[in-house]
Amino acid sequence: MTALRLGTRGSALALAQSRGIADALRAATGREVELVEVVTAGDRSSAPVHRLGVGVFVSALRDALAANEIDFAVHSYKDLPTAGQAGLHIAAVPPREDPRDALVAQGGRTLAELPPEATVGTGALRRIAQVHALGLQLTVVPIRGNVDSRVKRVLGPEADLDAVVLARAGLVRLGRADVITETLDPMLMLPAPAQGALAVECRADDSDLIELLSVLDHAPTRAAITAERSFLATLEAGCSAPVAGYAELAEGDDGDEIYLRGAVISPDGSRDIRLSRTGTPAEASEIGKALAAELLDLGADSILGTPTESGARTQHFGATE
């Protein structure tokens, strides 16, 4: 039986994620899997993350799927556009890694221990906005690069930043959890929708592979991600917008319950709207839509900007973006 071709980006983190999925699928089914590296537009660009546009890290993988150059692909779920892709299917959402953000700081400091005007690097507009909203008088520096290159800007011999904020999941998957000086409480830094989650995608007409990949699916994670992504889609915001959303499953009086928190924060941190909503896992999509509608009623659209022709909203920044 021929090996399944798993498409992946070539970054260290993408390869670590894909190898983990390949190992899990081999263990569960006995099928061999070979990794096929695909270069995306996002990998070739040095532009700030929020300027790149939605789906820049996944379009080449999806093209390779459609062209039958690979059998399935592994994406960081938060990189996926909220609209589905015709002809493709998310066959599995594996168990989620810790979705919280993490601080890597010189001297082992926590966020509260950083002195005023300390430089904090991050590439996500959501994180930039929330750092500003904390009112700690920190200087936020937009950065790009892989996990190792960002960490080196704090801990390397040529360090030029006091701290960086990264997804904890990426550091853990790369075996770099030891550099984390603080895992940030969601009350301080609410994660991005789908942060820490992976999407395993294949062609929608490949029913045998869909069934095979389903062994990797984790229903609680899928329900949480469905709520978060529905929230994001209803706001018509992309993965780079200053939107945060985090759903947790907990045992309620009548069975499992989803607790979804959502926030929209202005890039300078001067305005934010935060709400939460609960419901059952079966209502995951509706919970997300309802929470987004509540935020829009409270003026979230004035923070997000106006929708573009593609549906994603565009922020209008000043010259000091």
Side-chain angles (χ1 to χ4, degrees):
M1 192 172 290
T2 57
L4 294 169
R5 300 165 298 170
L6 194 171
T8 177
R9 293 171 57 204
S11 71
L13 179 56
L15 288 169
Q17 291 173 169
S18 295
R19 287 181 186 123
I21 293 299
D23 290 345
L25 191 61
R26 284 190 200 99
T29 68
R31 284 296 299 270
E32 273 307 309
V33 180
E34 64 173 333
L35 268 56
V36 178
E37 290 187 29
V38 177
V39 178
T40 72
D43 298 316
R44 289 190 294 265
S45 173
S46 60
V49 173
H50 60 266
R51 288 185 184 273
L52 289 175
V54 178
V56 70
F57 290 113
V58 303
S59 58
L61 286 166
R62 286 180 154 177
D63 288 345
L65 269 174
N68 199 25
E69 294 167 359
I70 58 175
D71 298 307
F72 67 112
V74 174
H75 309 286
S76 288
Y77 212 143
K78 70 176 182 178
D79 290 340
L80 290 178
T82 51
Q85 178 85 0
L88 300 181
H89 176 71
I90 305 297
V93 184
R96 186 185 208 171
E97 185 59 74
D98 189 330
R100 293 176 293 175
D101 286 303
L103 184 78
V104 179
Q106 290 190 24
R109 292 185 176 96
T110 65
L111 203 57
E113 291 169 345
L114 291 172
E117 306 308 322
T119 52
V120 179
T122 181
L125 195 55
R126 170 192 61 84
R127 294 186 186 119
I128 293 170
Q130 290 190 90
V131 170
H132 284 315
L134 293 173
L136 296 175
Q137 285 79 55
L138 300 171
T139 300
V140 184
V141 180
I143 59 173
R144 276 290 312 272
N146 60 36
V147 171
D148 282 333
S149 68
R150 295 187 194 202
V151 170
K152 284 178 182 176
R153 295 191 65 175
V154 177
L155 303 180
E158 299 178 4
D160 62 340
L161 297 172
D162 294 301
V164 290
V165 181
L166 303 161
R168 178 182 170 85
L171 289 163
V172 170
R173 286 177 175 136
L174 286 171
R176 300 298 307 275
D178 59 304
V179 301
I180 296 172
T181 56
E182 181 183 14
T183 297
L184 299 174
D185 190 311
M187 295 297 289
L188 293 176
M189 183 79 66
L190 198 62
Q195 185 159 298
L198 302 177
V200 182
E201 188 173 51
C202 66
R203 288 178 291 279
D205 60 2
D206 195 341
S207 55
D208 289 343
L209 186 55
I210 289 172
E211 183 178 354
L212 189 78
L213 294 174
S214 69
V215 301
L216 303 177
D217 196 58
H218 185 243
T221 296
R222 187 181 278 269
I225 300 308
T226 297
E228 294 169 13
R229 299 265 298 170
S230 173
F231 168 71
L232 187 67
T234 305
L235 289 174
E236 296 181 328
C239 63
S240 58
V243 172
Y246 179 31
E248 296 177 274
L249 262 69
E251 192 174 332
D253 294 336
D254 301 312
D256 285 346
E257 240 181 20
I258 288 180
Y259 173 51
L260 173 64
R261 284 177 279 177
V264 176
I265 315 101
S266 65
D268 64 0
S270 64
R271 296 178 60 201
D272 67 350
I273 306 173
R274 299 171 186 266
L275 291 173
S276 64
R277 196 173 183 93
T278 60
T280 68
E283 300 166 328
S285 182
E286 296 309 313
I287 295 167
K289 291 176 185 175
L291 183 58
E294 289 183 68
L295 284 170
L296 290 170
D297 285 345
L298 292 174
D301 53 345
S302 67
I303 296 176
L304 286 169
T306 55
T308 64
E309 290 182 6
S310 65
R313 294 178 185 267
T314 300
Q315 272 290 337
H316 298 287
F317 298 98
T320 57
E321 179 190 352

